[in-house]
Amino acid sequence: MRKLLFEILVKPPLTEDEPTVDDAAVAELAHAVDRQARRRLGRSLAIRHVDAGSCNGCELEIQALNNAYYDLERFGFRFVASPRHADLLLVTGPVTHNMRDALERTYTATPAPKWVVAVGGCARDGGCFAGSYAVSGGVASVVPVDLHIPGCPPRPLEILRGLLALLA
Ligand code: SF4
């Protein structure tokens, strides 16, 4: 027991180091997203997030977009509760058999014109869950995808860059 306590005290944490975020890069990206959002959307883009079977890692990064640092709403982007109010579906995770029908119905309920953005490696092709008995496949195997943002999970800045690419 004493040996274990000693090891806990002297060993460094096993978690990865916090990634460094460059304030200037965030400000520049924010400016570019804001400019494109104004030009293309008149400062309004309603996003419906769909978790199609994710491990919730991607959700944590998406959630960070709403915090005071990234403050997604300053660009005119906002998350909405209903697909009927959405312009864009932000889909995470591999599509599980349980969520396949829900994803199809959410897509159908979203009024055109609409975009679908697949977030994370799982959303592309099932990622580390590919081949599982519970998984249908990537998002594109169920609904048409306009953009894929890679990463496991992608950082908030990469998700912002993806949205910018969509608007450009
Ligand atoms: S891409 Fe990574 S973080 Fe996102 S759902 Fe898949 S395993 Fe989880």
PDB file of all heavy atoms in Angstrom, residues 1-14:
ATOM      1  N   MET A   1       0.830  -1.208   0.000  1.00  0.00           N
ATOM      2  CA  MET A   1       0.000   0.000   0.000  1.00  0.00           C
ATOM      3  C   MET A   1       0.869   1.265   0.000  1.00  0.00           C
ATOM      4  O   MET A   1       0.606   2.203  -0.735  1.00  0.00           O
ATOM      5  CB  MET A   1      -0.906  -0.045   1.242  1.00  0.00           C
ATOM      6  CG  MET A   1      -1.886   1.109   1.305  1.00  0.00           C
ATOM      7  SD  MET A   1      -3.085   1.020  -0.027  1.00  0.00           S
ATOM      8  CE  MET A   1      -4.084   2.430   0.290  1.00  0.00           C
ATOM      9  N   ARG A   2       1.912   1.251   0.858  1.00  0.00           N
ATOM     10  CA  ARG A   2       2.801   2.426   0.908  1.00  0.00           C
ATOM     11  C   ARG A   2       3.503   2.614  -0.414  1.00  0.00           C
ATOM     12  O   ARG A   2       3.714   3.734  -0.891  1.00  0.00           O
ATOM     13  CB  ARG A   2       3.811   2.253   2.047  1.00  0.00           C
ATOM     14  CG  ARG A   2       3.206   2.620   3.385  1.00  0.00           C
ATOM     15  CD  ARG A   2       4.040   2.216   4.545  1.00  0.00           C
ATOM     16  NE  ARG A   2       5.414   2.674   4.457  1.00  0.00           N
ATOM     17  CZ  ARG A   2       6.380   2.240   5.251  1.00  0.00           C
ATOM     18  NH1 ARG A   2       6.113   1.346   6.163  1.00  0.00           N
ATOM     19  NH2 ARG A   2       7.607   2.691   5.117  1.00  0.00           N
ATOM     20  N   LYS A   3       3.865   1.469  -1.028  1.00  0.00           N
ATOM     21  CA  LYS A   3       4.559   1.546  -2.322  1.00  0.00           C
ATOM     22  C   LYS A   3       3.628   2.189  -3.382  1.00  0.00           C
ATOM     23  O   LYS A   3       4.035   3.048  -4.148  1.00  0.00           O
ATOM     24  CB  LYS A   3       4.946   0.130  -2.752  1.00  0.00           C
ATOM     25  CG  LYS A   3       5.724   0.059  -4.034  1.00  0.00           C
ATOM     26  CD  LYS A   3       6.258  -1.354  -4.231  1.00  0.00           C
ATOM     27  CE  LYS A   3       6.954  -1.513  -5.557  1.00  0.00           C
ATOM     28  NZ  LYS A   3       6.089  -1.822  -6.637  1.00  0.00           N
ATOM     29  N   LEU A   4       2.389   1.767  -3.357  1.00  0.00           N
ATOM     30  CA  LEU A   4       1.414   2.306  -4.319  1.00  0.00           C
ATOM     31  C   LEU A   4       1.229   3.819  -4.106  1.00  0.00           C
ATOM     32  O   LEU A   4       1.235   4.601  -5.070  1.00  0.00           O
ATOM     33  CB  LEU A   4       0.079   1.578  -4.162  1.00  0.00           C
ATOM     34  CG  LEU A   4      -1.036   2.038  -5.093  1.00  0.00           C
ATOM     35  CD1 LEU A   4      -0.673   1.763  -6.545  1.00  0.00           C
ATOM     36  CD2 LEU A   4      -2.347   1.353  -4.759  1.00  0.00           C
ATOM     37  N   LEU A   5       1.086   4.221  -2.840  1.00  0.00           N
ATOM     38  CA  LEU A   5       0.922   5.648  -2.544  1.00  0.00           C
ATOM     39  C   LEU A   5       2.143   6.446  -3.006  1.00  0.00           C
ATOM     40  O   LEU A   5       2.020   7.530  -3.585  1.00  0.00           O
ATOM     41  CB  LEU A   5       0.717   5.858  -1.039  1.00  0.00           C
ATOM     42  CG  LEU A   5      -0.692   5.580  -0.530  1.00  0.00           C
ATOM     43  CD1 LEU A   5      -0.743   5.648   0.981  1.00  0.00           C
ATOM     44  CD2 LEU A   5      -1.680   6.557  -1.146  1.00  0.00           C
ATOM     45  N   PHE A   6       3.321   5.875  -2.796  1.00  0.00           N
ATOM     46  CA  PHE A   6       4.551   6.552  -3.214  1.00  0.00           C
ATOM     47  C   PHE A   6       4.572   6.724  -4.736  1.00  0.00           C
ATOM     48  O   PHE A   6       4.885   7.791  -5.265  1.00  0.00           O
ATOM     49  CB  PHE A   6       5.766   5.751  -2.739  1.00  0.00           C
ATOM     50  CG  PHE A   6       7.065   6.355  -3.172  1.00  0.00           C
ATOM     51  CD1 PHE A   6       7.540   7.517  -2.552  1.00  0.00           C
ATOM     52  CD2 PHE A   6       7.805   5.804  -4.203  1.00  0.00           C
ATOM     53  CE1 PHE A   6       8.733   8.090  -2.954  1.00  0.00           C
ATOM     54  CE2 PHE A   6       8.994   6.376  -4.616  1.00  0.00           C
ATOM     55  CZ  PHE A   6       9.461   7.524  -3.983  1.00  0.00           C
ATOM     56  N   GLU A   7       4.184   5.644  -5.454  1.00  0.00           N
ATOM     57  CA  GLU A   7       4.176   5.712  -6.923  1.00  0.00           C
ATOM     58  C   GLU A   7       3.194   6.775  -7.411  1.00  0.00           C
ATOM     59  O   GLU A   7       3.465   7.519  -8.344  1.00  0.00           O
ATOM     60  CB  GLU A   7       3.804   4.349  -7.509  1.00  0.00           C
ATOM     61  CG  GLU A   7       4.965   3.379  -7.505  1.00  0.00           C
ATOM     62  CD  GLU A   7       4.566   2.020  -8.048  1.00  0.00           C
ATOM     63  OE1 GLU A   7       3.406   1.856  -8.465  1.00  0.00           O
ATOM     64  OE2 GLU A   7       5.434   1.133  -8.031  1.00  0.00           O
ATOM     65  N   ILE A   8       2.033   6.855  -6.755  1.00  0.00           N
ATOM     66  CA  ILE A   8       1.032   7.857  -7.157  1.00  0.00           C
ATOM     67  C   ILE A   8       1.598   9.267  -6.970  1.00  0.00           C
ATOM     68  O   ILE A   8       1.387  10.154  -7.794  1.00  0.00           O
ATOM     69  CB  ILE A   8      -0.269   7.671  -6.347  1.00  0.00           C
ATOM     70  CG1 ILE A   8      -0.959   6.379  -6.778  1.00  0.00           C
ATOM     71  CG2 ILE A   8      -1.211   8.856  -6.518  1.00  0.00           C
ATOM     72  CD1 ILE A   8      -2.132   5.972  -5.923  1.00  0.00           C
ATOM     73  N   LEU A   9       2.364   9.441  -5.875  1.00  0.00           N
ATOM     74  CA  LEU A   9       2.912  10.771  -5.585  1.00  0.00           C
ATOM     75  C   LEU A   9       4.005  11.185  -6.560  1.00  0.00           C
ATOM     76  O   LEU A   9       4.098  12.348  -6.952  1.00  0.00           O
ATOM     77  CB  LEU A   9       3.461  10.801  -4.151  1.00  0.00           C
ATOM     78  CG  LEU A   9       2.403  10.910  -3.053  1.00  0.00           C
ATOM     79  CD1 LEU A   9       3.050  10.776  -1.689  1.00  0.00           C
ATOM     80  CD2 LEU A   9       1.667  12.231  -3.149  1.00  0.00           C
ATOM     81  N   VAL A  10       4.838  10.238  -6.981  1.00  0.00           N
ATOM     82  CA  VAL A  10       5.992  10.632  -7.798  1.00  0.00           C
ATOM     83  C   VAL A  10       5.740  10.534  -9.298  1.00  0.00           C
ATOM     84  O   VAL A  10       6.438  11.172 -10.082  1.00  0.00           O
ATOM     85  CB  VAL A  10       7.259   9.803  -7.444  1.00  0.00           C
ATOM     86  CG1 VAL A  10       7.673  10.061  -6.008  1.00  0.00           C
ATOM     87  CG2 VAL A  10       7.047   8.321  -7.704  1.00  0.00           C
ATOM     88  N   LYS A  11       4.739   9.726  -9.707  1.00  0.00           N
ATOM     89  CA  LYS A  11       4.518   9.579 -11.149  1.00  0.00           C
ATOM     90  C   LYS A  11       3.746  10.769 -11.702  1.00  0.00           C
ATOM     91  O   LYS A  11       2.830  11.274 -11.051  1.00  0.00           O
ATOM     92  CB  LYS A  11       3.727   8.299 -11.426  1.00  0.00           C
ATOM     93  CG  LYS A  11       4.612   7.063 -11.465  1.00  0.00           C
ATOM     94  CD  LYS A  11       3.826   5.876 -11.956  1.00  0.00           C
ATOM     95  CE  LYS A  11       4.711   4.659 -12.020  1.00  0.00           C
ATOM     96  NZ  LYS A  11       3.931   3.443 -12.219  1.00  0.00           N
ATOM     97  N   PRO A  12       4.096  11.200 -12.916  1.00  0.00           N
ATOM     98  CA  PRO A  12       3.314  12.291 -13.531  1.00  0.00           C
ATOM     99  C   PRO A  12       1.945  11.777 -13.962  1.00  0.00           C
ATOM    100  O   PRO A  12       1.752  10.561 -14.089  1.00  0.00           O
ATOM    101  CB  PRO A  12       4.162  12.681 -14.755  1.00  0.00           C
ATOM    102  CG  PRO A  12       4.947  11.458 -15.065  1.00  0.00           C
ATOM    103  CD  PRO A  12       5.162  10.720 -13.781  1.00  0.00           C
ATOM    104  N   PRO A  13       0.993  12.665 -14.175  1.00  0.00           N
ATOM    105  CA  PRO A  13      -0.323  12.215 -14.636  1.00  0.00           C
ATOM    106  C   PRO A  13      -0.219  11.511 -15.983  1.00  0.00           C
ATOM    107  O   PRO A  13       0.660  11.839 -16.793  1.00  0.00           O
ATOM    108  CB  PRO A  13      -1.127  13.515 -14.772  1.00  0.00           C
ATOM    109  CG  PRO A  13      -0.267  14.610 -14.301  1.00  0.00           C
ATOM    110  CD  PRO A  13       1.098  14.100 -14.057  1.00  0.00           C
ATOM    111  N   LEU A  14      -1.111  10.565 -16.241  1.00  0.00           N
ATOM    112  CA  LEU A  14      -1.061   9.815 -17.493  1.00  0.00           C
ATOM    113  C   LEU A  14      -1.824  10.511 -18.613  1.00  0.00           C
ATOM    114  O   LEU A  14      -1.771  10.087 -19.751  1.00  0.00           O
ATOM    115  CB  LEU A  14      -1.648   8.414 -17.280  1.00  0.00           C
ATOM    116  CG  LEU A  14      -0.824   7.518 -16.358  1.00  0.00           C
ATOM    117  CD1 LEU A  14      -1.523   6.198 -16.120  1.00  0.00           C
ATOM    118  CD2 LEU A  14       0.561   7.276 -16.945  1.00  0.00           C
TER     119      LEU A  14
END
